[in-house]
Amino acid sequence: MRVPDLIAKKRDGHSLTEEEISFLIDNYTKGIIPDYQMSAWAMAVYFRGMDNRETRALTQAMIQSGETIDLSPIKGTIVDKHSTGGVGDTTTIVLAPLVAAAGVPVAKMSGRGLGHTGGTIDKLETIPGMRLDLATGKFIEQVNRIGICIVGQTGNLVPADKKLYALRDVTGTVESLPLIAASIMSKKLAAGAHAILLDVKTGSGAFMKTPEEALALAKVMVDIGQGLGHPTAALITDMDQPLGYAIGNALEVKEAIKTLQGKGPDDLTELCLTIGAHLLVLAKKTTNEEEAYQELKGLLHSGEAIDKLAQLIEAQGGNPQVVEDFDLLPKAPVLLPVVSDREGYVDKIDCYQVGHTAMLLGAGRATKEDRIDPAVGIQLCKKVGDYVNKGDVLAYIHAAQHEQGIRAKQAVLEAYRLSDHQPTKPPLVHSVLRG
Ligand code: URA
Ligand code: CA
């Protein structure tokens, strides 16, 4: 096989065989195929696309490029949730203990935040003492013992994706549905998930700006999962404004704790119950989503869900008192209100701008090497549809330094758009795709 022939074949709109795709991925990972050939190939894929068979083959070749985790020593079906990334998206910290409390094993590998979106590992690390770097043996042992474990990505999972994603990032080839879908699904499957629930975000704070684009990506990913023998479903959910009220690591942990105590924001609670219900069905715990939803709601109010989080924190070296005492979490020294200079209904909150501002405060990373500040972030007070008087506080900025806080204050004020007319609230779940 010659690489120039494979590039030309894709350029001219033909499908590559499984052998050809695995040849490209394998030799690229080994450093035999140079970046310039692989970027030409990625650009050909960007313009010509891939059919479902090719996309599945690409996913499989990427999984095979590195280590995989075998979760078969865990009793029960391992379901995993993947979110395509959002602003203030605290769902994993709520969902993991919630479904574990319902008896579904949670063996979760999570990532760190990049750009305007946050990551679960950064958030959990704000809890004093919490260890997120357990070895695979301990990870599995803990899931079998208490039904839940959350760790950062370890080992050499999908090295092909690390190389290819970095290449796509600098060659204008990130925005290709088959490349995105194979990138996400290969990482989930290499991490050992049996069944997968995808939360594909859409809106100003999301990767996919419209529900149509999000649905198209969801379809490709569901097809990959199902085609490789893993039950997969997807929800298309709103990210046109931040989820909940808190954006920033410690602030979001607080919000997750309140949600697990049944006192969380409506949108975050509703989304967690909806995703949780789908996870229970995928895990074959129940056949009925409505029943599952009610069962999970009961666990938020009975105290079982928050107890499971406290148990998780304790098992991983953290201080479980944090669920009752928020003073144990880091606090930013500067607190500034964002005050509305007019009255009206909140019509829109530019979600990207809010996420980007939180990142500039230090809640996120502009590059992979940046260090985050666990304490800083933005606490919203008003969301889309709320009425605001002149002088009302729209949000609070939690900053490390005064000048940074002032800049963030201005940026958040600009992110709010007020209107004289009450807007219709965007739906939280745009659509559901079952495998
Ligand atoms: N997220 C991923 O993990 N991969 C992509 O290609 C795009 C978004
Ligand atoms: Ca939030």
Side-chain angles (χ1 to χ4, degrees):
M1 260 181 257
R2 287 182 68 245
V3 179
D5 296 340
L6 301 183
I7 297 170
K9 189 172 174 188
K10 183 43 66 183
R11 180 202 63 200
D12 295 340
H14 304 292
S15 297
L16 299 185
T17 67
E18 283 155 40
E19 292 71 31
E20 288 165 338
I21 290 169
S22 112
F23 172 83
L24 285 170
I25 295 299
D26 190 31
N27 287 302
Y28 180 58
T29 310
K30 287 183 183 144
I32 297 168
I33 298 178
D35 281 350
Y36 54 82
Q37 286 184 318
M38 209 58 184
S39 51
W41 173 78
M43 189 57 86
V45 171
Y46 175 88
F47 281 111
R48 291 298 193 170
M50 279 184 150
D51 61 31
N52 286 347
R53 191 190 46 75
E54 289 178 287
T55 311
R56 278 200 296 275
L58 176 63
T59 306
Q60 240 167 347
M62 288 177 49
I63 293 171
Q64 281 156 10
S65 72
E67 287 171 31
T68 55
I69 296 185
D70 175 15
L71 295 177
S72 61
I74 297 171
K75 299 172 278 291
T77 305
I78 303 293
V79 291
D80 199 358
K81 181 222 55 152
H82 177 80
S83 153
T84 56
V87 175
D89 181 2
T90 324
T91 49
T92 297
I93 303 175
V94 178
L95 264 173
L98 180 60
V99 302
V104 172
V106 174
K108 177 92 186 146
M109 281 206 169
S110 274
R112 295 188 182 273
L114 188 61
H116 70 286
T117 66
T120 299
I121 295 301
D122 296 326
K123 294 171 196 174
L124 288 174
E125 262 176 8
T126 68
I127 299 170
M130 191 85 182
R131 297 275 313 262
L132 294 142
D133 56 353
L134 310 188
T136 308
K138 282 215 143 150
F139 173 63
I140 290 173
E141 182 275 322
Q142 184 178 312
V143 180
N144 277 331
R145 184 160 46 84
I146 64 167
I148 182 168
C149 191
I150 304 180
V151 294
Q153 267 135 20
T154 53
N156 190 26
L157 298 187
V158 202
D161 182 64
K162 292 193 184 87
K163 272 192 93 169
L164 189 55
Y165 200 179
L167 184 73
R168 288 164 54 210
D169 206 24
V170 293
T171 56
T173 50
V174 168
E175 295 86 354
S176 152
L177 287 191
L179 296 183
I180 297 170
S183 164
I184 293 173
M185 292 301 286
S186 62
K187 285 177 279 192
K188 289 285 116 183
L189 295 172
H194 302 148
I196 296 169
L197 192 279
L198 301 157
D199 178 11
V200 183
K201 305 286 192 190
T202 179
S204 62
F207 207 58
M208 297 286 142
K209 303 296 175 203
T210 68
E212 294 72 30
E213 286 173 283
L215 186 62
L217 175 63
K219 279 189 176 141
V220 181
M221 292 196 287
V222 168
D223 180 82
I224 293 172
Q226 295 288 129
L228 296 178
H230 296 270
T232 304
L235 302 181
I236 312 303
T237 73
D238 183 66
M239 196 35 80
D240 213 33
Q241 63 174 333
L243 193 59
Y245 290 87
I247 304 107
N249 299 283
L251 297 173
E252 288 187 45
V253 167
K254 242 189 258 185
E255 184 165 76
I257 290 171
K258 284 193 200 141
T259 306
L260 284 163
Q261 291 166 332
K263 300 181 288 198
D266 291 345
D267 60 349
L268 180 61
T269 304
E270 171 72 23
L271 185 64
C272 289
L273 291 171
T274 305
I275 296 178
H278 280 88
L279 288 172
L280 261 54
V281 171
L282 278 173
K284 302 197 176 63
K285 186 82 183 27
T286 161
T287 52
N288 181 317
E289 273 140 27
E290 184 49 31
E291 247 170 52
Y293 185 100
Q294 293 306 332
E295 181 188 343
L296 294 171
K297 200 168 168 183
L299 297 171
L300 291 183
H301 295 284
S302 69
E304 286 160 274
I306 190 65
D307 286 352
K308 191 48 91 177
L309 177 67
Q311 200 183 10
L312 167 75
I313 292 171
E314 185 159 30
Q316 294 186 214
N319 184 350
Q321 290 300 322
V322 76
V323 306
E324 276 139 37
D325 184 1
F326 292 154
D327 287 339
L328 294 169
L329 290 169
K331 255 197 211 76
V334 177
L335 186 66
L336 299 173
V338 179
V339 178
S340 183
D341 52 11
R342 56 162 292 192
E343 61 188 25
Y345 292 96
V346 178
D347 185 42
K348 203 165 165 40
I349 303 174
D350 185 328
C351 193
Y352 173 80
Q353 169 120 335
V354 171
H356 187 72
T357 304
M359 182 196 82
L360 293 179
L361 282 167
R365 296 181 181 81
T367 71
K368 271 195 208 119
E369 289 69 37
D370 287 352
R371 286 179 70 88
I372 62 148
D373 181 338
V376 300
I378 300 163
Q379 182 75 37
L380 305 181
C381 303
K382 302 288 181 185
K383 302 245 330 212
V384 172
D386 290 346
Y387 190 77
V388 176
N389 285 303
K390 188 175 170 185
D392 279 357
V393 176
L394 296 170
Y396 284 96
I397 307 296
H398 295 245
Q401 293 161 356
H402 191 76
E403 307 78 74
Q404 251 182 356
I406 295 288
R407 276 196 296 275
K409 199 173 136 153
Q410 189 57 33
V412 171
L413 184 63
E414 283 165 12
Y416 273 86
R417 191 174 76 194
L418 301 192
S419 151
D420 295 333
H421 307 284
Q422 187 162 22
T424 44
K425 281 199 189 182
L428 191 58
V429 178
H430 289 272
S431 54
V432 178
L433 198 65
R434 290 183 181 77

